[in-house]
Amino acid sequence: LDNYFRSTCMITDLSGTSYTFAFLTLRPVIFFSPNEKIIQSEYENLNHFKDRKNIGVIVNDFNDINNKIAYFDNDQSYYKNSILNTKKKLLYVNNSKMEIHKNISKILT
C-alpha cells in the first residue's frame, strides 16, 4: 500500500489490481494494451474492461507511456472525479465481506 500511495499512477494490463489502486488512491491507471483490438473482441461486454477509460487511459504504444505519466504529474483532477463516480456505481464497495458472508450463509441453510 505504501507503494500505491507514493505512485503518480499505475501501469498495468487488464489486472484487477488497477481498480484497487484507483479506488484507494484516486489516481489514474495506464493500461498498456498493444493488442487492444484482440482484447476488445474478447472482453468488450465486461464492466471491468469497459470502465478502464473511467479510471485511466489505454496506451497501445510503449513510447506514449512517458507522455501520459507527465500529464498525470501535472493534473489528476479529471481522473479523481471520474474514479469517484465509477466507484459509486459499484454495489459492494466496502461491503464485500458482509455480502460474501450473507451468500455463504444462504448456501449453507
Side-chain angles (χ1 to χ4, degrees), residues 17-99:
T17 196
S18 58
Y19 287 86
T20 302
F21 173 82
F23 293 161
L24 278 175
T25 65
L26 300 179
R27 294 182 187 141
V29 175
I30 296 172
F31 292 95
F32 183 62
S33 185
N35 300 312
E36 182 65 17
K37 290 183 182 182
I38 295 168
I39 293 170
Q40 207 167 24
S41 65
E42 289 185 41
Y43 301 110
E44 64 188 340
N45 294 321
L46 301 175
N47 287 336
H48 178 82
F49 180 81
K50 290 191 278 188
D51 285 339
R52 292 180 303 160
K53 289 182 181 178
N54 295 335
I55 66 166
V57 295
I58 301 164
V59 173
N60 307 91
D61 185 341
F62 187 75
N63 295 316
D64 290 337
I65 292 175
N66 282 336
N67 294 334
K68 296 301 179 185
I69 292 170
Y71 172 76
F72 293 152
D73 272 340
N74 292 325
D75 182 21
Q76 293 189 2
S77 60
Y78 168 79
Y79 286 99
K80 181 177 181 177
N81 292 329
S82 184
I83 291 165
L84 281 170
N85 289 333
T86 303
K87 187 176 176 180
K88 286 178 189 176
K89 290 191 298 185
L90 298 178
L91 296 175
Y92 304 116
V93 172
N94 298 326
N95 293 316
S96 58
K97 184 177 177 181
M98 186 183 338
E99 196 62 29

